């Protein structure tokens, strides 16, 4: 079986991920709370390195959604958009939210911080899935 991936959709999904993150963690949205709860000092760290690695990791995630959606489409047919959203939803529930919650429980971190981060992941995966699902590889519906 050949797995078709629209690489332009993957790159666009990465850009969407970065925009969602920039808005989500902006100070007026959840940024102030997030920095306090996560004990992040905005004057420390290497933002260029963090942003570059974040984009690379978002590319891995977007590729996973695209591959999963194509495998699901091959198995079930139907709407590529709906399958992309389903793959992202299953990934969020079974991997992101479940594993993230485990870490927060053992790290005894604030529940609000977990909710802000987990909700960001849900919105980000959904945004990526919409881009990938709307921009299906040639020949898919």
């Amino acid at each position: 079986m050949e797995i078709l991936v629209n690489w332009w959709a993957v790159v666009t999904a990465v850009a969407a991920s970065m925009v969602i993150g920039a808005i989500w963690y902006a100070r007026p949205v959840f940024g102030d709370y997030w920095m306090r709860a996560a004990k992040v000092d905005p004057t420390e760290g290497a933002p260029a390195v963090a942003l570059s690695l974040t984009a690379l990791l978002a590319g891995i995630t977007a590729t996973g959604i695209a591959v999963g959606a194509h495998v699901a489409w091959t198995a079930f047919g139907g709407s590529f958009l709906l399958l992309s959203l389903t793959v992202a939803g299953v990934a969020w529930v079974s991997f992101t939210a479940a594993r993230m919650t485990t870490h927060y429980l053992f790290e005894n971190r604030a529940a609000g911080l977990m909710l802000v981060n987990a909700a960001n992941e849900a919105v980000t995966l959904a945004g990526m899935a919409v881009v990938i699902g709307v921009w299906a590889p040639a020949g898919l519906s």
Side-chain angles (χ1 to χ4, degrees):
M1 169 174 87
E2 179 183 7
I3 296 177
L4 302 176
V5 172
N6 182 332
W7 294 108
W8 289 112
V10 168
V11 169
T12 305
V14 169
S17 169
M18 300 301 282
V19 169
I20 290 166
I23 293 168
W24 194 270
Y25 291 106
R27 286 182 179 263
V29 184
F30 295 111
D32 282 336
Y33 171 79
W34 173 76
M35 282 189 278
R36 258 191 336 274
K39 298 179 176 69
V40 170
D41 182 349
T43 63
E44 293 180 5
V49 172
L51 288 172
S52 299
L53 288 174
T54 298
L56 173 67
L57 295 169
I60 292 168
T61 302
T63 301
I65 293 170
V67 168
H70 186 261
V71 169
W73 184 86
T74 300
F76 304 113
S79 166
F80 197 75
L81 173 58
L82 182 58
L83 290 168
S84 296
L85 285 165
T86 301
V87 166
V90 169
W92 181 80
V93 168
S94 60
F95 298 109
T96 306
R99 301 309 311 149
M100 188 181 268
T101 302
T102 300
H103 288 282
Y104 277 79
L105 289 171
F106 280 97
E107 293 169 358
N108 198 25
R109 299 185 87 180
L113 178 61
M114 202 277 301
L115 290 173
V116 165
N117 287 333
N120 170 258
E121 290 298 319
V123 171
T124 299
L125 289 175
M128 291 173 131
V130 167
V131 170
I132 290 163
V134 168
W135 205 351
L140 305 184
S141 57

